[in-house]
Amino acid sequence: MNREMYDLAGWAIKTAKAAGADDCRVSISSDRFVEIGYRQRKPETIKEARQKGLSISIYANGRYSSQNTSDLRREALKDFLSRAVATTKLLAEDPYRTLPDPKYYEGRPDIDLGIRDAGYETLTAEGRHAMVKTIEDACLTKGGAKAISVTASQHDSYAESVVLTSNGFEGYRESTVFWAGAEMTVQGEGDRRPNGYHFVASVRKDGIGSPEKVGTIAAERTLDLLGARKIDTETLPVIIENRNVSRILRGLLSAMYGRSIQQKQSFLADKKSEKIASGRLTLIDNPLIVGGLGSRLYDGDGFAAKKRVMIEAGVLKDFFVDWYYSRKLEWEPTTGGPSNLVIPPGKRSVKEIMKDLGRGVFVTGFIGGNSNSTTGDSSVGIIGRLFEDGEPTQAVAEMNIAGNHLEFWPKLAEVANDPWPYSSMRTPSLVFTDVVVSGV
């Protein structure tokens, strides 16, 4: 626990209450990030920033506001807090805005989530630049004469926060995040210039792996786009690559929030305990994964973190309902949003699955598109590769997949064994049958 931040947060609560607040929640955070980017073997981006701030949620006379300041001098804060309370009292009443019942703070796990790299402070400018140069060199080497341009980059950050409430919540968090990767443009046929990328992320520096591998994969994925063209509209099996599953999954998740349900903007509002997907789909929200990018001991309301099965064998089991919308809906709260989302992996590789399917499309990226949380209708552009006789053949582009989530997810036929490790969404590749892939 950072004693200085903790003491300041406690003082802010006392000061706000003395100014007329009934209750309040104070968060003090300190962040640092460094970003390095290279293009054409020269530095293009060099950024470093540190920031510290206080955020306070005020509950006064049935009214609510949330306000922020970066001036943490107590003399300045006293004036800020006084004005914040006075301003809050001028707002319209909202009887649903209160601090949570303290019983939801109880049961917090006493574990080390491993989300802070102890070696963060030993990172050097030379080491950061060397990493980016290595990524760029590997990308250009693999791209060869086809390479037009490469932008390689790395980002690392450290964050520390203290959260206190006037009704007994205390929270402290330290975390680090690292990401690295490259974007590449290559010369295609005529005036075509396909653009691809590859990025990895982890809470630990060693979790992003070899910089050479990062750059090489970025080039390979870009070169795979050469010669991409439409195919005729066809109903085919589709395999959505692990790293891209999150794109379609977000369309389903958008209808699982308390806010969407309360605002009549959820196509899943009345589907709890019903089958909404194939029995192959199980979705778990697990905030307690050691080293997870979304891991946490408590959520935004201060609720103790716990593992939840959101969808089990295709049956919708739960929603993401925070304290505020639980009161509006008169439901039991769960948590305001996902932490680490996990689809348990299957037993077979994508290559093995392709052999059985024979012909289909392996989707390696999405372009544009939209998903309507009210109706469930969705439409996305896709890029990828056609595979025939179980082997990848031509690159595919300028194609589209459209439909409704309640019709699409029941087509899930298999889950591969390759969960994507560089995201808070740990999703394997997913296999869907009888999907209409159309030209646009």
Side-chain angles (χ1 to χ4, degrees):
M1 179 71 75
N2 184 313
R3 179 51 56 180
E4 180 184 354
M5 293 170 70
Y6 180 87
D7 289 345
L8 184 60
W11 173 87
I13 286 177
K14 291 178 181 178
T15 303
K17 294 200 74 174
D22 298 319
D23 275 309
C24 52
R25 177 184 189 272
V26 171
S27 172
I28 298 177
S29 61
S30 177
D31 305 280
R32 179 205 181 195
F33 81 87
V34 178
E35 183 176 342
I36 306 291
Y38 270 62
R39 187 171 184 275
Q40 304 297 80
R41 300 189 188 277
K42 296 179 181 179
E44 182 179 56
T45 303
I46 301 177
K47 296 181 182 178
E48 179 173 1
R50 294 176 184 265
Q51 57 185 12
K52 198 169 185 177
L54 178 147
S55 174
I56 184 167
S57 297
I58 298 169
Y59 305 84
N61 296 351
R63 295 156 172 84
Y64 165 85
S65 76
S66 180
Q67 305 189 42
N68 306 279
T69 181
S70 58
D71 189 344
L72 301 188
R73 296 172 300 149
R74 293 202 180 196
E75 180 180 342
L77 276 175
K78 187 174 182 179
D79 181 56
F80 164 77
L81 294 169
S82 177
R83 286 185 286 106
V85 173
T87 300
T88 302
K89 291 181 177 181
L90 298 175
L91 301 176
E93 289 188 56
D94 187 346
Y96 300 103
R97 288 285 188 186
T98 68
L99 286 176
D101 186 326
K103 71 180 183 181
Y104 295 106
Y105 304 155
E106 298 172 3
R108 189 190 311 173
D110 185 17
I111 60 173
D112 180 0
L113 291 174
I115 56 175
R116 178 185 181 275
D117 190 326
Y120 182 79
E121 296 299 331
T122 66
L123 297 178
T124 64
E126 293 78 12
R128 292 179 172 103
H129 281 266
M131 174 187 287
V132 179
K133 288 178 181 179
T134 301
I135 292 171
E136 184 186 30
D137 286 345
C139 199
L140 287 168
T141 298
K142 185 68 178 179
K146 291 286 187 181
I148 295 175
S149 69
V150 171
T151 300
S153 56
Q154 78 90 47
H155 172 108
D156 57 77
S157 62
Y158 166 83
E160 181 181 26
S161 65
V162 167
V163 180
L164 299 181
T165 69
S166 56
N167 70 341
F169 177 82
E170 297 182 2
Y172 176 72
R173 176 183 170 91
E174 275 188 288
S175 62
T176 51
V177 175
F178 301 82
W179 62 256
E183 295 182 55
M184 185 179 192
T185 302
V186 294
Q187 181 62 58
E189 298 174 1
D191 59 355
R192 294 192 175 190
R193 290 173 170 75
N195 179 265
Y197 64 89
H198 174 62
F199 285 88
V200 294
S202 175
V203 298
R204 297 179 54 84
K205 183 176 182 294
D206 59 13
I208 62 178
S210 159
E212 292 90 348
K213 185 176 180 180
V214 172
T216 299
I217 292 175
E220 289 174 345
R221 291 182 66 83
T222 307
L223 293 171
D224 277 348
L225 302 175
L226 291 170
R229 61 184 187 274
K230 293 182 186 181
I231 59 173
D232 292 337
T233 296
E234 191 173 348
T235 300
L236 290 167
V238 166
I239 304 174
I240 299 180
E241 188 184 23
N242 53 8
R243 70 175 73 199
N244 293 298
V245 168
S246 60
R247 176 67 181 276
I248 58 164
L249 186 59
R250 287 191 182 97
L252 190 65
L253 292 172
S254 67
M256 294 175 66
Y257 291 94
R259 182 186 185 282
S260 297
I261 296 166
Q262 194 274 330
Q263 297 289 323
K264 311 297 184 186
Q265 296 174 343
S266 169
F267 65 91
L268 295 176
D270 60 350
K271 304 294 184 187
K272 189 172 181 180
S273 300
E274 294 186 14
K275 197 157 189 176
I276 61 166
S278 153
R280 300 280 187 176
L281 180 63
T282 291
L283 181 65
I284 300 167
D285 181 45
N286 188 359
L288 305 178
I289 295 174
V290 175
L293 282 160
S295 296
R296 63 196 185 200
L297 295 177
Y298 51 87
D299 70 4
D301 282 316
F303 295 176
K306 61 180 66 176
K307 181 178 176 181
R308 297 178 185 276
V309 178
M310 308 305 293
I311 299 172
E312 185 173 24
V315 176
L316 178 62
K317 306 293 285 188
D318 223 336
F319 293 106
F320 297 104
V321 185
D322 64 12
W323 175 250
Y324 178 65
Y325 282 101
S326 76
R327 301 193 72 213
K328 284 197 160 190
L329 290 165
E330 297 183 346
W331 288 9
E332 183 70 12
T334 55
T335 185
S339 54
N340 300 298
L341 287 175
V342 178
I343 295 177
K347 296 180 179 179
R348 299 201 299 164
S349 69
V350 168
K351 285 186 177 181
E352 291 173 311
I353 294 169
M354 278 185 181
K355 287 180 181 178
D356 277 358
L357 293 175
R359 175 180 169 84
V361 174
F362 182 48
V363 177
T364 59
F366 292 104
I367 300 174
N370 58 79
S371 181
N372 188 315
S373 68
T374 303
T375 65
D377 292 333
S378 176
S379 176
V380 289
I382 64 169
I383 57 174
R385 294 196 79 82
L386 180 70
F387 59 89
E388 299 183 85
D389 298 322
E391 294 294 332
T393 55
Q394 74 168 74
V396 172
E398 300 179 54
M399 303 296 290
N400 187 72
I401 293 175
N404 188 281
H405 284 283
L406 291 175
E407 297 171 351
F408 183 74
W409 287 97
K411 296 178 180 180
L412 177 64
E414 188 168 355
V415 177
N417 66 355
D418 58 347
W420 181 244
Y422 303 115
S423 169
S424 61
M425 291 193 181
R426 299 194 171 192
T427 54
S429 298
L430 301 183
V431 184
F432 296 85
T433 56
D434 301 322
V435 177
V436 177
V437 181
S438 60
V440 293

